[in-house]
């Protein structure tokens, strides 16, 4: 067993959450080790959709305006509209006031880990964290290295080992399981999809395969998506595990058929869990905090997680900095920051999600369609980050810094 010198912070996991917190702490002059079990570039099962609030975050925190994101080849495709279906019925087909973008995670995550290294974080790849001792504030890797730190940050995704080693008083495991989603996703080469699309499906995808499609009713308490990339089309379904049981394979096959892409039904999809409303309200214990998927932070309506990975990492970095420099209590400071706005937003988004899926369960399609048509610009603004999910008030300050 090799003991490393003590760090101010050890970050477990080098996805968007881990790289963001490592970068911000490094920039503040703290000694940081970022431990990622895989080697970059590494992929992550993901639709790669970046809403405007994510793009604004990248500009504000990493000084990456859209022009630079393009130059760094971090944006693969731009979505200027969207289509929304319930089953095979088209409910909305709208232009977006501001676009959404699509990224490829192998490139995005590699770039961000590079930024963490530039900010002074030591990035160690290829060894998995196999043990966490919260009381002693140490983590041990599969290489047998032991890292000790004043703060441990669990940024190790939905399967988080750091979370699983926290006590029941921090993680309500029943609530976690009840709100855990499951996804299946396929990336099919664009050329092959273009040749086959609309052969036999009731949902007509656009000819250029440029429009993101969201389809409710593909599975229970979830939806199907067709997301455009430059070289590939990403097709997936995701919904609450508790509502769908083992039906996802058949549901994906039916979805592929409905969009005219049943030729790909024999392809093996990637399966991956997704937090869908199981965020942990106080994800901190002694010297440990959870960020991103490890803490269950995604938007419960769409499962958008890249933004919440960045945002919880930013709030955690602020709390950790105050803890390390001024002795502020870590868990209380981080929890208070989360509660000020973010948890309230997630709660309101959960309520909207519950209303939507209860209407679908009750087959109340007509009032639901009327509601969706009346509120779609408000909901889009809330997803893009310019309105609050609470009452849809305009709120330019919602994600604009650490309040
Ligand atoms: C099918 C699907 C589609 C999605 N589509 C979108 C989308 O379009 N837009 C969007 O915003 N979000 C989407 N999401 C959600 C998004 O992918 C996640 O919310 C996001 O990746 C969370 O980032 P993270 O940094 O918290 O975790 P991750 O990206 O999962 O990163 C965790 C990292 O920790 C590492 N790690 C894990 N365990 C250990 C260990 N023991 N030791 C060391 N390292 C470890 C992993 O290798 C990984 O690199 C989607 C998710 C799924 C499943």
């Amino acid at each position: 067993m090799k003991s490393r010198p003590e760090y101010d912070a050890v970050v477990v996991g080098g996805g968007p959450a881990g790289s963001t917190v490592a970068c911000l702490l490094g920039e503040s002059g703290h000694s940081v080790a970022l431990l990622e079990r895989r080697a970059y570039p590494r992929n992550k099962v993901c639709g790669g959709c970046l809403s405007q609030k994510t793009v604004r975050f990248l500009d504000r925190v990493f000084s990456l305006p859209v022009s630079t994101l393009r130059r760094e080849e971090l944006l693969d495709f731009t979505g200027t509209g969207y289509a929304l279906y319930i089953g095979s019925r088209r409910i909305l087909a709208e232009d977006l006031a501001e676009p959404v973008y699509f990224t490829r995670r192998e490139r995005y995550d590699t770039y961000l880990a590079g930024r963490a290294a530039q900010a002074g974080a030591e990035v160690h790849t290829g060894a998995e964290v196999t043990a966490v001792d919260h009381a002693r504030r140490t983590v041990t890797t599969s290489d047998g290295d032991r890292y000790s730190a004043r703060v441990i940050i669990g940024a190790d995704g939905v399967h988080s080992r750091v979370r699983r080693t926290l006590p029941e008083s921090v993680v309500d495991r029943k609530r976690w399981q009840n709100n855990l989603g499951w996804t299946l996703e396929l990336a099919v080469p664009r050329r092959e999809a273009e040749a086959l699309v609309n052969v036999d499906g009731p949902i007509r995808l656009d000819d250029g395969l440029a429009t993101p499609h969201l389809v409710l009713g593909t599975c229970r308490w979830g939806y199907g998506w067709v997301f455009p990339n430059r070289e590939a089309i990403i097709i997936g379904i995701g919904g609450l595990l508790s509502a769908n049981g083992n039906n996802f394979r058949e549901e994906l096959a039916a979805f592929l058929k409905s969009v005219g892409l049943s030729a790909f039904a024999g392809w093996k999809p990637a399966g991956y869990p997704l937090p869908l409303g199981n965020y942990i309200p106080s994800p901190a214990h002694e010297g440990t905090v959870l960020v991103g998927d490890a803490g269950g932070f995604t938007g419960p309506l769409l499962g958008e997680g890249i933004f919440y990975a960045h945002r919880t990492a930013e709030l955690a970095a602020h709390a950790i900095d105050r803890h390390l420099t001024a002795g502020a209590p870590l868990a209380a400071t981080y929890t208070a920051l989360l509660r000020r706005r973010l948890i309230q937003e997630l709660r309101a988004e959960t309520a909207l999600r519950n209303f939507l899926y209860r209407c679908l369960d009750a087959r109340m399609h007509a009032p639901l369609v009327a509601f969706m048509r009346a509120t779609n610009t408000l909901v889009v603004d809330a997803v893009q980050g310019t309105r609050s999910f609470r009452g849809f008030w305009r709120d330019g300050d919602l994600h604009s810094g650490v309040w």
Side-chain angles (χ1 to χ4, degrees):
M1 177 90 54
K2 197 167 76 193
S3 278
R4 302 256 176 182
E6 190 185 67
Y7 295 84
D8 290 326
V10 165
V11 183
V12 183
S19 292
T20 302
V21 72
C23 185
L24 292 175
L25 289 174
E27 281 174 355
S28 301
H30 300 295
S31 59
V32 183
L34 172 63
L35 311 180
E36 165 56 46
R37 68 179 168 192
R38 293 170 65 189
Y40 297 106
R42 67 102 182 87
N43 199 9
K44 152 80 177 71
V45 182
C46 188
C49 184
L50 304 178
S51 63
Q52 279 291 325
K53 63 182 181 297
T54 318
V55 170
R56 280 196 295 275
F57 182 95
L58 294 170
D59 189 9
R60 177 171 64 78
V61 173
F62 289 102
S63 303
L64 287 169
V66 167
S67 54
T68 311
L69 290 170
R70 284 195 201 288
R71 202 174 55 240
E72 296 287 345
E73 296 184 17
L74 295 171
L75 302 182
D76 193 58
F77 205 89
T78 304
T80 56
Y82 70 101
L84 179 69
Y85 284 72
I86 297 181
S88 56
R89 180 174 171 207
R90 182 183 280 205
I91 306 302
L92 290 161
E94 303 280 324
D95 288 337
L96 287 164
E98 295 180 287
V100 292
Y101 299 95
F102 295 89
T103 190
R104 291 196 351 263
R105 288 292 299 273
E106 56 271 54
R107 193 151 176 83
Y108 189 81
D109 291 24
T110 304
Y111 175 87
L112 290 172
R115 288 291 295 261
Q118 273 172 27
E122 279 179 24
V123 180
H124 299 267
T125 59
E128 180 170 355
V129 168
T130 50
V132 185
D133 186 331
H134 297 283
R136 291 203 173 84
R137 301 189 188 184
T138 61
V139 303
T140 308
T141 67
S142 48
D143 281 352
D145 287 350
R146 178 176 290 159
Y147 294 77
S148 61
R150 293 168 69 192
V151 177
I152 296 172
I153 298 133
D156 45 346
V158 66
H159 294 294
S160 174
R161 183 179 293 274
V162 178
R163 183 190 66 247
R164 282 184 282 128
T165 51
L166 286 171
E168 187 81 34
S169 57
V170 180
V171 185
D172 178 342
R173 300 194 202 286
K174 195 164 165 224
R175 180 173 178 275
W176 177 271
Q177 206 54 35
N178 283 345
N179 288 287
L180 188 63
W182 186 256
T183 63
L184 290 179
E185 197 175 74
L186 277 178
V188 303
R190 172 174 273 280
R191 278 225 188 120
E192 292 186 38
E194 279 172 351
L196 285 165
V197 80
N198 297 322
V199 173
D200 59 357
I203 296 179
R204 242 200 100 70
L205 299 176
D206 53 313
D207 288 339
L209 290 179
T211 305
H213 280 61
L214 305 180
V215 183
L216 296 168
T218 50
C219 59
R220 292 193 58 222
W221 288 67
Y223 65 101
W225 60 89
V226 181
F227 285 171
N229 274 204
R230 198 169 11 192
E231 303 293 340
I233 303 299
I234 313 294
I235 305 159
I237 61 167
L240 283 184
L241 199 49
S242 55
N244 290 279
N246 291 328
N247 298 331
F248 284 99
R249 270 314 271 268
E250 296 95 82
E251 287 162 347
L252 178 65
F255 181 46
L256 285 166
K257 190 163 193 296
S258 71
V259 295
L261 294 173
S262 52
F264 300 104
W267 287 32
K268 194 172 180 320
Y272 210 80
L274 173 68
L276 272 178
N278 44 355
Y279 57 88
I280 300 167
S282 302
H285 175 68
E286 296 180 347
T288 302
V289 300
L290 300 174
V291 291
D293 273 14
F297 291 102
T298 71
L301 185 62
L302 298 175
E304 178 193 6
I306 298 171
F307 171 76
Y308 292 97
H310 287 308
R311 187 69 172 130
T312 52
E314 181 188 30
L315 299 179
H318 186 79
I320 293 164
D321 180 56
R322 287 184 50 197
H323 172 67
L324 293 174
T325 56
L330 178 63
T333 309
Y334 180 41
T335 300
L337 285 173
L338 289 171
R339 286 197 178 156
R340 202 161 295 162
R341 305 293 280 279
L342 198 113
I343 298 277
Q344 299 179 32
E345 283 301 306
L346 292 177
R347 251 190 224 132
E349 193 178 331
T350 305
L352 178 65
R353 189 269 311 257
N354 292 350
F355 167 74
L356 194 82
Y357 290 125
R358 282 191 187 122
C359 287
L360 277 174
D361 274 356
R363 307 195 67 73
M364 292 166 53
H365 286 189
L368 181 60
V369 169
F371 172 80
M372 287 167 92
R373 287 189 172 143
T375 59
N376 80 84
T377 53
L378 303 176
V379 175
V380 169
D381 284 355
V383 171
Q384 297 277 49
T386 53
R387 281 183 198 275
S388 167
F389 274 100
R390 293 189 300 151
F392 295 124
W393 302 117
R394 270 214 175 275
D395 190 345
D397 200 29
L398 197 54
H399 306 299
S400 62
V402 180
W403 339 265

